[in-house]
Amino acid sequence: MRQFLLIATLSCTGCTHLAQDDWTGKDKAQHFLSSAFFSAAGNAYGEHQNWSDRHSGSFGLMFALSLGAAKELYDSREGGTGWSWKDFSWDVAGAAAGYALWSLDR
């Protein structure tokens, strides 16, 4: 996890620009819900592979966060809307919620 955060932070130093967005909005709900879905889907995949609960949970969280980071890197290209730490924060919150909901369901 530490390596992921370090790579994500270093990757942002090469972004062409940052987004000037608000903390709320339609796209924030989309970030939250999609990350929650991908986190739960990653957990389900791990469970179907007979991985341990810890391994499945880690896979689900990292799967959702990597997709969120990839989306932000795509947005940070020259013609994009820019890297948004606010969007990525909603991705993290959604991934955690998806993990929590999956754990409660078990």
Side-chain angles (χ1 to χ4, degrees):
M1 185 66 159
R2 290 181 210 163
Q3 293 173 349
F4 172 75
L5 292 175
L6 177 64
I7 291 169
T9 303
L10 291 176
S11 295
C12 292
T13 60
C15 297
T16 58
H17 62 287
L18 296 174
Q20 301 298 320
D21 56 346
D22 294 325
W23 278 103
T24 59
K26 180 182 176 187
D27 75 316
K28 304 306 187 246
Q30 292 170 342
H31 279 273
F32 181 86
L33 292 173
S34 63
S35 291
F37 172 78
F38 286 128
S39 179
N43 280 314
Y45 175 78
E47 184 178 279
H48 288 294
Q49 296 298 318
N50 295 319
W51 295 344
S52 68
D53 289 342
R54 182 178 173 149
H55 190 192
S56 296
S58 296
F59 178 79
L61 283 170
M62 294 309 293
F63 178 63
L65 292 177
S66 64
L67 290 175
K71 168 70 168 76
E72 292 309 314
L73 283 173
Y74 178 76
D75 286 347
S76 71
R77 73 193 191 290
E78 190 170 331
T81 59
W83 177 279
S84 173
W85 283 108
K86 295 170 185 170
D87 285 352
F88 193 67
S89 297
W90 281 104
D91 290 332
V92 171
Y99 174 77
L101 289 174
W102 183 260
S103 297
L104 287 174
D105 187 49
R106 298 198 72 234

